[in-house]
Amino acid sequence: VSFRSTVESEDTAGVATSAIYFTLNGARQAGATAQHTFNTVGERAEQTIAQLLVIPNAPQTLNVEMSGGTFELSNYTLNAYKIG
């Protein structure tokens, strides 16, 4: 699974660190986090995460979550591939 997005800081405090990560059935998936520290309001950065997830049975719920401040996401893509 991979996720890519342009992230823009809207945090009026100025400095903010965004973290984007996957959760599977509500559990945060270790090893797949993208972080970026924004120094000004309106600053933009590309953030990408990718991880191999083992899904033993269906259905499962995969979410992309974010923490760290107020951000706007644009130009985002999510790709999931079945192997095997």
Side-chain angles (χ1 to χ4, degrees), residues 2-45:
S2 66
F3 177 81
R4 186 203 66 76
S5 179
T6 301
V7 180
E8 181 176 346
S9 175
E10 294 184 343
D11 199 315
T12 58
V15 177
T17 301
S18 69
I20 298 176
Y21 51 90
F22 293 124
T23 61
L24 185 62
N25 296 323
R28 188 170 177 167
Q29 300 300 293
T33 301
Q35 293 185 337
H36 181 79
T37 299
F38 295 88
N39 295 303
T40 60
V41 175
E43 180 181 346
R44 292 181 180 181

